[in-house]
């Protein structure tokens, strides 16, 4: 915490110095969303290059003066929380001054900018993200406040903890971890008691694009147990994009890649090649939109796809067919095909990429 306080003090000191010299104070932030600032590293995924381009948030410029003020406001809130060892969610920060901030997304972006500017992980700033992910299966752990959580005996899923860093005493006999893209598929597998039937496993869903806590938990489980991690996604560009976030990270959070990515993640399904192999009826497939075509084309150009020839091939199959499929298409074969046939066979015979 002293490191965080010192980092904030240094920023404020620079502001004071500029004012003393009758200069307009400026905050310098890395360009987090620029692909030119990102490099792909096999062991880490997407990470920010040391000499990245920056942008200035000036206090004397009409376009950025408001953002400058909001950054100082949030820095002061973080400073007080670190001093008093209290925490707040991003939502709490927004609701502390809704008229001032204008929207939740403004708060989210500023907090990420501050984290990147100070080179300090967001959780060390005492700002917690609201969790939307779920975890179930062969796992138990203790939360920071001493609460024991047992995901094994629960018929319902457990919410991913909001302070993943603080959990300890993780124990599991799981043979693998299964990341499920969608909540509906996750709940279906839970109802089918999948994590007990095949072999003990841990199931996680970020319910779409994963939030930070879900990604942190996947990374923590990997660090703790070093067991295979498989993904179960829709066979569409959006599903591939989500899988890439878990495996390689996202451009906007590349400055924190070391804590968030798990390069060992494997693509278990739904593979575009599975659709033909399983003779899935064309009627249950969905034609591509222009947006799907653009997203797929942009994914195919990414640096990490060149290192994954088998993934590349699957994306080419998807691009050629111009059709996408949700995991639910497997119910056209039988209602429990996913948990009874598809996943057990894939896991037994190594049907992942």
């Amino acid at each position: 915490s002293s490191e965080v306080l010192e980092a904030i003090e240094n920023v404020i000191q620079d502001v004071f110095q500029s004012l003393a010299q009758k200069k307009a104070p400026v905050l310098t932030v890395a360009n987090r969303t620029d692909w030119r600032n990102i490099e792909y590293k096999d062991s880490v995924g997407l990470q920010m290059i040391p000499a990245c381009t920056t942008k200035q948030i000036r206090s004397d410029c009409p376009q950025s003066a408001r953002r400058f003020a909001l950054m100082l406001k949030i820095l002061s809130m973080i400073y007080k929380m670190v001093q008093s060892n209290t925490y707040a969610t991003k939502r709490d920060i927004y609701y502390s001054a809704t008229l001032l901030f204008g929207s939740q997304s403004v708060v989210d972006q500023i907090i990420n900018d501050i984290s990147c500017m100070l080179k300090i992980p967001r959780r060390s700033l005492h700002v917690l993200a609201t969790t939307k992910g779920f975890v179930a299966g062969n796992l138990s752990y203790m939360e920071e406040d001493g609460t024991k959580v047992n995901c094994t005996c629960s018929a319902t899923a457990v919410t991913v903890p909001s302070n993943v860093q603080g959990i300890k005493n993780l124990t599991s006999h799981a043979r693998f971890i299964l990341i499920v893209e969608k909540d509906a598929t996750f709940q279906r597998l839970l109802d089918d008691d999948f994590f007990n039937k095949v072999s003990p496993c841990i199931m996680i869903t970020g319910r779409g694009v994963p939030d930070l806590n879900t990604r942190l938990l996947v990374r923590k489980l990997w660090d703790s147990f070093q067991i295979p991690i498989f993904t179960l996604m829709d066979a569409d560009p959006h599903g591939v994009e989500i899988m890439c976030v878990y495996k390689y990270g996202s451009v906007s959070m590349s400055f924190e890649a070391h804590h968030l990515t798990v390069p060992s993640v494997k693509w278990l399904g739904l593979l575009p090649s599975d659709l033909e192999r399983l003779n899935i009826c064309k009627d249950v497939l969905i034609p591509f939109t222009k947006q799907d075509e653009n997203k797929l084309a942009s994914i195919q150009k990414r640096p990490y796809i060149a290192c994954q020839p088998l993934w590349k091939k699957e994306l080419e199959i998807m691009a050629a067919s111009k059709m996408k499929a949700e995991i639910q298409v497997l119910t056209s074969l039988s209602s429990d095909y996913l948990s009874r046939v598809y996943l057990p066979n894939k896991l037994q015979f190594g049907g992942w990429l």
Side-chain angles (χ1 to χ4, degrees):
S1 61
S2 59
E3 189 191 325
V4 181
L5 297 176
E6 194 183 329
I8 296 173
E9 284 161 10
N10 289 340
V11 170
I12 303 305
Q13 209 167 354
D14 287 346
V15 170
F16 280 143
Q17 268 173 344
S18 298
L19 291 169
Q21 293 162 3
K22 301 217 168 4
K23 289 181 187 164
V26 168
L27 296 174
T28 305
V29 179
N31 267 331
R32 289 187 296 114
T33 52
D34 191 336
W35 271 94
R36 288 169 300 183
N37 284 338
I38 312 296
E39 63 178 355
Y40 166 62
K41 213 171 175 190
D42 231 7
S43 58
V44 183
L46 299 177
Q47 63 173 8
M48 196 169 265
I49 58 172
C52 65
T53 60
T54 56
K55 58 184 177 188
Q56 289 195 326
I57 297 167
R58 302 188 61 85
S59 59
D60 62 346
C61 166
Q63 282 85 10
S64 62
R66 185 170 181 278
R67 195 169 187 85
F68 179 91
L70 293 180
M71 282 187 80
L72 288 192
K73 164 81 176 162
I74 291 179
L75 276 168
S76 83
M77 293 171 86
I78 290 168
Y79 192 84
K80 283 177 194 156
M81 289 192 298
V82 175
Q83 263 188 328
S84 60
N85 197 25
T86 53
Y87 288 82
T89 64
K90 294 188 296 183
R91 204 139 185 78
D92 295 334
I93 291 174
Y94 168 60
Y95 278 110
S96 70
T98 49
L99 289 174
L100 180 68
F101 294 121
S103 75
Q104 181 70 58
S105 63
V106 168
V107 173
D108 297 354
Q109 284 168 12
I110 287 176
I111 287 165
N112 285 343
D113 277 343
I114 286 172
S115 175
C116 187
M117 177 176 75
L118 300 178
K119 294 187 171 53
I120 287 168
R122 192 172 73 190
R123 58 206 165 279
S124 302
L125 302 177
H126 286 229
V127 178
L128 305 173
T130 316
T131 296
K132 66 183 179 107
F134 287 135
V135 59
N138 197 294
L139 174 69
S140 59
Y141 56 84
M142 189 185 281
E143 291 199 334
E144 200 176 24
D145 63 1
T147 309
K148 286 181 180 168
V149 178
N150 189 350
C151 308
T152 313
C153 61
S154 172
T156 55
V158 172
T159 308
V160 167
S162 56
N163 188 359
V164 175
Q165 215 50 26
I167 67 173
K168 48 188 184 287
N169 302 353
L170 285 88
T171 53
S172 176
H173 303 296
R175 303 281 303 279
F176 63 91
I177 295 162
L178 182 66
I179 299 170
V180 183
E181 177 188 348
K182 281 189 181 152
D183 192 24
T185 310
F186 180 85
Q187 296 298 341
R188 180 67 212 243
L189 291 172
L190 207 57
D191 293 344
D192 290 349
D193 199 23
F194 173 76
F195 62 82
N196 283 324
K197 276 182 183 161
V198 179
S199 68
C201 73
I202 299 166
M203 296 196 313
I204 292 184
T205 180
R207 299 163 76 196
V209 178
D211 59 295
L212 198 68
N213 292 328
T214 304
R215 290 173 63 189
L216 282 168
L217 182 62
V218 171
R219 176 62 198 237
K220 192 164 186 110
L221 292 173
W222 163 248
D223 288 338
S224 304
F225 304 122
Q226 302 277 310
I227 52 179
I229 301 182
F230 302 115
T231 55
L232 181 61
M233 305 280 150
D234 287 341
D236 65 9
H238 189 62
V240 175
E241 171 95 284
I242 289 170
M243 176 169 59
C244 291
V245 168
Y246 284 107
K247 186 175 175 75
Y248 299 114
S250 60
V251 174
S252 62
M253 293 298 287
S254 58
F255 65 94
E256 247 198 269
H258 288 79
H259 311 286
L260 293 171
T261 59
V262 185
S264 63
V265 162
K266 301 275 185 278
W267 188 2
L268 185 69
L270 187 63
L271 302 178
S273 59
D274 288 340
L275 302 175
E276 204 166 306
R277 184 176 61 81
L278 297 172
N279 235 338
I280 299 288
C281 174
K282 294 274 190 290
D283 297 350
V284 294
L285 302 181
I286 308 160
F288 261 25
T289 61
K290 189 77 193 132
Q291 202 179 357
D292 290 326
E293 282 181 44
N294 294 342
K295 179 163 294 285
L296 183 56
S298 87
I299 292 171
Q300 286 176 303
K301 289 191 193 109
R302 288 184 194 169
Y304 45 71
I305 296 298
C307 313
Q308 290 279 5
L310 296 176
W311 282 33
K312 199 173 169 213
K313 207 169 163 187
E314 292 293 332
L315 298 185
E316 283 162 6
I317 293 171
M318 198 189 289
S321 74
K322 288 196 172 156
M323 299 294 262
K324 56 186 182 178
E326 297 185 331
I327 296 159
Q328 282 78 358
V329 299
L330 296 176
T331 56
S332 67
L333 301 172
S334 78
S335 62
D336 59 352
Y337 192 85
L338 175 68
S339 57
R340 187 176 52 83
V341 183
Y342 183 80
L343 289 175
N345 282 349
K346 282 253 172 182
L347 292 161
Q348 189 179 344
F349 301 112
W352 56 80
L353 307 178

